[in-house]
Amino acid sequence: MSEVQLTINGQKVVAQSGQTILEAAQAADIDIPTLCYHPALTAWGACRMCLVEVKGMRGLQTSCTCPVADGMEVQTESDAAVEVRKFVLELLFAERNHYCMFCQMSGDCELQDMAYRYGLDHFTYPRPYDKLPIDASRKYFIMDQNRCILCMRCVRACSEIAANHTLNVRERGSKSMIMADLNVPFGDSTCIECGSCLQVCPTGALIDARSAYGGREKDVTHTETTCMQCSIGCALDVVTRYNRLLRVDGVWDSEPSGGLLCVDGRFKPLYDNRKRVTAPMVRRDGKLVESGWDEALGAVAEQLKSGTSQGLAACATTNETLDAFTKLFSKVNGEAGLLEPVAPALGYGTAAKLSDILEADFVVVAGAQPLDYQRVVGYFIHRAGDNGAQIAVITDSQNKLSERADMTVSYADTDKVVKAAADAEKVVLVYSVGAKGKIEAAFRELGDNLSYLALSPGRNQKGATAEGLKPAEPNGAATQYFLMGEQAEDPALLEKLNGAFTVVQASYISPLVERADVVLPAPVWYERAGHVTNIEGDVKAVNQVLPMPEGVRDDAVVLAALIDLLQ
């Protein structure tokens, strides 16, 4: 890219060819107001708030779509531009009910900010507002058509970021309304609850049900951390107030997902009502009772010294904890392993990043269900399809990606996919533990054109693998078991423990906890600090958002204390 020199408000600015006036101004810290523009979306140029005056050009130009040119002279606050902006704002406030005192976004609304900026202190075109519907059929967020300014950010986010295409517009002119699918309630639509539309909305039209009226931007605290609900490792902006979780947002331009989240990362953890383990417990006379840390750790250390041990970890924890876990079992007569399976290594091809899916012209999904788990990968595959890539699914069962795939075949017909992909320049193979043996060898002939993304169920599987942990089950030979981390409910696991002394380190009450002889409380995702290794092999920081309850200690600290007791 070549440099372009222009003047904005008398200030010399150096931009890059291909940039718009708005992008050049933002890079030079020159503010141009916007409403329909959002950095994560394609520029639309519809709201007219970003109009600027360009010397030599007829009329005002939308700065979000007008490319820079060498020698260009731009005025962002000329009388003509300001007059049009004020007129647009007056029409927006007249179109629907934007009476700010009743809106939960008052104080944090982009439309309101523009009104203050340009001195709107009364309704220029007062009118009786039609009562427009409020859709509260969705659990996590609400659509209030009365607050909508039809900027189409939500529609574009649904199509461009999540590639789900649920939202669109019905009717025309003053009767235009945002709709889900063919005008069905949100709760009955194909909405995947990723929340992208909610995060880009500039007004109170889309409302987070949990955080509504919970505090204005000046009142809340933002903490950036890494999502631990699956192995992708999306960046989170967790918003809190008074030691209370309010909401979770994505972080635009962050790796690996660019700000896209799923329902598991954005909403579900905030609605987790499972009963916490908040104090150590030991079994006395057949019943679990609360105890002090010294008693609980002493009981565990005594058992670890006395017989054969096996440690089994669910890797929904930090690298630091997994490191301490392996060190603990190197000190005793036992072994450590993983409760979750790991996707097999291909032995050829190059490891793909999530962004490689968007650049591929052929994507193969084998033995994986990304739209059920590691959902953001599934959304990226949808985006690749929107970009023109061919999508092939190899499965012997149902797969939601088949609905938008170009071909779905059984494992027996894998060769058909290999043949179809032979002419592609960039093939990405997305696979998981369900991929059968034939898959591992079938795509070798694609050579350098193939990259792969292995989806293992473990939330920090790469961190666990780096510590040398491999999948294992209760071996029957151990006299005591130490189970760490949040495990999926598995009745078979309880049976395999076979009455042996069992220690469980966990955050929530579960059948496994109720079966244990010693229970050690563990922090939940927003109380943890440390690092995880994401699906791309990058080490990501996990920052503590809220303090742990009194009586709970960090997993790694507890494991280190046990190591000291074994010295």
Side-chain angles (χ1 to χ4, degrees):
M1 296 176 68
S2 59
E3 288 187 349
V4 173
Q5 306 223 6
L6 67 157
T7 304
I8 303 178
N9 297 342
Q11 176 181 331
K12 298 293 185 182
V13 173
V14 177
Q16 302 296 319
S17 60
Q19 282 189 314
T20 63
I21 295 173
L22 178 62
E23 290 169 335
Q26 290 176 335
D29 291 326
I30 299 171
D31 182 41
I32 299 177
T34 62
L35 277 178
C36 73
Y37 172 81
H38 191 279
L41 304 171
T42 55
W44 203 41
C47 72
R48 323 310 283 178
M49 288 302 295
C50 72
L51 288 173
V52 296
E53 194 168 342
V54 181
K55 185 176 181 180
M57 286 190 176
R58 182 178 178 182
L60 299 173
Q61 307 298 314
T62 50
S63 62
C64 68
T65 61
C66 184
V68 295
D70 207 38
M72 180 180 275
E73 296 182 26
V74 180
Q75 288 293 327
T76 68
E77 297 291 328
S78 68
D79 291 342
V82 170
E83 183 180 359
V84 172
R85 288 175 194 158
K86 292 179 69 173
F87 179 61
V88 169
L89 285 170
E90 288 167 347
L91 292 178
L92 284 173
F93 273 92
E95 188 175 28
R96 294 190 181 179
N97 186 358
H98 297 292
Y99 189 63
C100 298
M101 279 65 79
F102 290 121
C103 179
Q104 71 100 19
M105 288 299 291
S106 181
D108 296 320
C109 172
E110 293 180 38
L111 178 66
Q112 186 185 62
D113 290 345
M114 291 299 103
Y116 281 127
R117 175 170 177 165
Y118 290 106
L120 271 68
D121 55 7
H122 65 283
F123 292 99
T124 308
Y125 308 106
R127 57 184 287 261
Y129 302 107
D130 295 331
K131 293 182 179 179
L132 301 180
I134 297 175
D135 188 336
S137 59
R138 226 354 144 201
K139 177 179 180 179
Y140 301 118
F141 56 92
I142 297 164
M143 176 68 184
D144 184 353
Q145 298 281 2
N146 298 277
R147 311 295 187 188
C148 180
I149 59 172
L150 295 170
C151 66
M152 306 301 179
R153 281 193 193 177
C154 60
V155 176
R156 287 177 285 151
C158 190
S159 297
E160 298 174 15
I161 299 177
N164 204 56
H165 307 283
T166 297
L167 297 180
N168 214 316
V169 182
R170 64 179 174 89
E171 307 294 348
R172 289 294 180 268
S174 63
K175 295 185 180 297
S176 294
M177 300 268 281
I178 302 296
M179 68 174 179
D181 294 332
L182 295 177
N183 198 28
V184 301
F186 255 116
D188 298 332
S189 73
T190 57
C191 173
I192 54 175
E193 297 179 310
C194 69
S196 299
C197 60
L198 173 69
Q199 189 171 338
V200 300
C201 181
T203 66
L206 284 165
I207 305 167
D208 184 303
R210 180 183 176 90
S211 65
Y213 301 100
R216 296 180 178 179
E217 186 63 25
K218 63 182 180 64
D219 303 320
V220 302
T221 300
H222 292 260
T223 306
E224 191 167 324
T225 187
T226 301
C227 183
M228 296 180 65
Q229 304 307 314
C230 78
S231 61
I232 296 175
C234 300
L236 303 181
D237 175 21
V238 185
V239 183
T240 57
R241 188 186 185 198
Y242 298 143
N243 281 339
R244 174 177 176 262
L245 291 172
L246 288 182
R247 69 177 186 273
V248 173
D249 288 333
V251 180
W252 305 120
D253 292 329
S254 63
E255 296 292 341
S257 68
L260 172 59
L261 301 179
C262 71
V263 65
D264 292 332
R266 189 187 296 271
F267 293 120
K268 283 187 178 179
L270 275 65
Y271 288 77
D272 195 333
N273 295 318
R274 288 177 293 172
K275 186 177 179 181
R276 287 287 303 273
V277 179
T278 56
M281 293 184 284
V282 297
R283 190 170 295 279
R284 297 182 193 144
D285 300 324
K287 293 184 178 180
L288 275 177
V289 295
E290 289 191 2
S291 71
W293 273 102
D294 289 345
E295 179 185 357
L297 292 177
V300 175
E302 183 179 348
Q303 289 293 324
L304 290 175
K305 291 176 183 177
S306 64
T308 304
S309 303
Q310 186 181 20
L312 295 170
C315 49
T317 188
T318 62
N319 293 344
E320 290 81 359
T321 298
L322 292 166
D323 177 63
F325 185 74
T326 56
K327 287 178 178 175
L328 172 65
F329 282 88
S330 69
K331 295 283 186 182
V332 300
N333 180 22
E335 60 180 25
L338 280 182
L339 282 166
E340 298 104 341
V342 175
L346 277 185
Y348 60 90
T350 57
K353 290 185 173 292
L354 199 58
S355 58
D356 289 330
I357 295 175
L358 301 181
E359 300 170 3
D361 50 357
F362 204 107
V363 180
V364 183
V365 180
Q369 299 280 356
L371 290 177
D372 291 329
Y373 191 62
Q374 293 142 325
R375 301 173 197 265
V376 169
V377 174
Y379 306 156
F380 268 59
I381 294 171
H382 280 173
R383 282 166 64 175
D386 288 351
N387 293 340
Q390 284 189 276
I391 311 298
V393 176
I394 303 174
T395 182
D396 284 334
S397 59
Q398 296 294 316
N399 192 309
K400 292 178 182 177
L401 280 169
S402 295
E403 297 177 8
R404 289 170 64 174
D406 296 282
M407 59 189 300
T408 299
V409 304
S410 66
Y411 285 98
D413 292 324
T414 296
D415 294 342
K416 292 181 179 179
V417 177
V418 177
K419 184 178 179 180
D423 295 330
E425 294 183 1
K426 185 169 184 178
V427 181
V428 175
L429 171 62
V430 179
Y431 72 99
S432 188
V433 294
K436 297 184 179 179
K438 188 175 181 181
I439 298 297
E440 296 180 42
F443 291 90
R444 185 183 296 272
E445 64 186 70
L446 297 180
D448 294 339
N449 291 348
L450 178 78
S451 58
Y452 62 87
L453 195 65
L455 306 182
S456 294
R459 301 185 190 185
N460 187 16
Q461 177 265 317
K462 286 191 177 291
T465 300
E467 293 295 335
L469 293 169
K470 297 179 180 179
E473 293 184 348
N475 58 26
T479 56
Q480 53 261 335
Y481 294 101
F482 191 115
L483 296 110
M484 181 188 73
E486 187 178 348
Q487 301 94 18
E489 291 188 18
D490 182 7
L493 178 61
L494 292 172
E495 294 179 8
K496 292 174 183 176
L497 297 176
N498 196 29
F501 187 90
T502 304
V503 180
V504 176
Q505 189 175 24
S507 306
Y508 297 101
I509 298 292
S510 68
L512 186 59
V513 167
E514 293 170 344
R515 152 71 178 81
D517 295 288
V518 178
V519 179
L520 305 176
V524 296
W525 65 274
Y526 54 84
E527 297 162 356
R528 294 186 186 278
H531 299 82
V532 294
T533 306
N534 76 352
I535 196 171
E536 297 179 349
D538 295 329
V539 177
K540 313 286 283 188
V542 175
N543 297 313
Q544 188 175 33
V545 177
L546 294 178
M548 290 177 278
E550 186 178 354
V552 177
R553 297 180 184 177
D554 181 75
D555 313 59
V557 171
V558 172
L559 294 169
L562 280 172
I563 292 172
D564 290 341
L565 290 174
L566 295 173
Q567 301 295 345

